[in-house]
Amino acid sequence: MKVRHFLQRFSCLLLLISTSSQADSTVDDIRGAVDRYLSSHSEQLQARHGENVRVEYSIGHLDSRLRMAACSEPLEAEPNGADSLGRVNIKVSCKGASPWSLYVPSQVDLYRQVVMPVMPLARRSQVQEDDVELREVNVATLKGSYFTRIEDVVGLETKRLIKPDRPLVYQHLQAPVMIKKGEQVFMTASSGALSVKIPGIALSDGRQGQQISIRNKQSKRVVEAKVTGPGQVSVAM
């Protein structure tokens, strides 16, 4: 009798242990779902940006005592929002008989070569090739559009003092002044095969691609023209 009683109690204990293990989705289960998603996401980022980038990710802290109801289906993980770089919250969901969801903070970093100054660049100075170099930076932390080719910044003018520890971004630079106020320019007006050049006077400074006012030296009429080069503008006919 004692043996039978012991076996009954032992069987009940095994059942409780088995039920308990099936009743919980543990931290390891949740981290596994996040890891699978971030691994796939990193591969997609690598494919999108090419071989010259490096992708790393980390999963935020989860309390080891965390227990969620057992899920009858594999856990699903997806980003909470459109952000794919930097700090991202990954939503882990159970869509089984007892549904639940929670958010796991994570970090996705993308390293690539970007253009950075090698010395301070004064305000209103034109960038020269020797002023910059390529360095690997975590672009997930950058605000604004950055440059990945040195030739894209050479000849541009700085809008402000640029420190050497910061990547160059589009907001820091502008096209240089090509035409100065009061300067004589030539206006090119084209229509099909017909093209004429008319002398004029610039009424303001102008940068490449900018629209400025030009006074026709012959008719004295003021027109809007687009800066196309040093001393050159184009007008619509």
Side-chain angles (χ1 to χ4, degrees):
M1 293 293 294
K2 289 184 178 180
V3 174
R4 183 189 301 175
H5 182 66
F6 171 78
L7 290 175
Q8 287 176 343
R9 293 185 61 183
F10 185 69
S11 298
C12 290
L13 180 61
L14 289 176
L15 180 61
L16 287 172
I17 294 173
S18 176
T19 303
S20 175
S21 64
Q22 293 176 1
D24 295 332
S25 289
T26 66
V27 168
D28 288 341
D29 298 327
I30 295 167
R31 287 181 66 89
V34 175
D35 186 69
R36 287 189 294 274
Y37 167 77
L38 290 177
S39 177
S40 174
H41 178 59
S42 297
E43 290 177 0
Q44 293 174 9
L45 286 173
Q46 189 77 53
R48 186 187 312 163
H49 293 281
E51 297 180 355
N52 297 324
V53 304
R54 179 166 57 89
V55 182
E56 296 181 355
Y57 68 86
S58 59
I59 302 172
H61 173 72
L62 286 171
D63 192 328
S64 60
R65 297 167 296 179
L66 178 65
R67 293 290 185 275
M68 305 297 290
C71 193
S72 57
E73 298 181 7
L75 297 181
E76 297 183 11
E78 59 184 348
N80 179 38
D83 291 340
S84 62
L85 286 177
R87 185 175 176 83
V88 294
N89 285 317
I90 307 301
K91 181 181 180 181
V92 180
S93 303
C94 169
K95 297 184 179 179
S98 301
W100 53 263
S101 64
L102 56 80
Y103 295 93
V104 180
S106 302
Q107 181 75 23
V108 180
D109 296 320
L110 189 148
Y111 296 85
R112 73 181 310 166
Q113 299 279 324
V114 302
V115 180
M116 294 184 68
V118 298
M119 63 186 73
L121 300 178
R123 181 175 178 266
R124 299 279 181 170
S125 62
Q126 284 195 21
V127 179
Q128 307 299 317
E129 188 171 354
D130 292 340
D131 294 336
V132 293
E133 66 181 6
L134 291 174
R135 293 187 214 158
E136 187 181 67
V137 171
N138 179 13
V139 298
T141 64
L142 297 184
K143 294 182 179 179
S145 300
Y146 50 86
F147 296 89
T148 59
R149 302 191 308 172
I150 289 176
E151 56 264 35
D152 291 338
V153 304
V154 172
L156 296 181
E157 181 182 274
T158 58
K159 294 181 180 179
R160 42 171 280 192
L161 171 67
I162 307 297
K163 297 181 179 180
D165 59 343
R166 293 189 175 184
L168 289 177
V169 296
Y170 281 87
Q171 292 89 334
H172 293 164
L173 305 172
Q174 61 188 353
V177 172
M178 287 192 168
I179 293 174
K180 293 187 176 181
K181 181 179 179 179
E183 181 182 341
Q184 177 171 308
V185 299
F186 284 96
M187 299 182 289
T188 300
S190 301
S191 178
L194 178 63
S195 178
V196 294
K197 284 193 174 184
I198 307 166
I201 299 296
L203 300 183
S204 64
D205 290 349
R207 303 177 187 275
Q208 178 75 27
Q210 188 177 10
Q211 293 278 346
I212 61 173
S213 297
I214 304 291
R215 176 178 286 114
N216 187 318
K217 288 187 69 174
Q218 299 172 353
S219 67
K220 307 303 180 184
R221 179 185 173 192
V222 175
V223 297
E224 294 298 310
K226 181 179 180 180
V227 177
T228 58
Q232 304 290 326
V233 297
S234 64
V235 294
M237 288 186 65

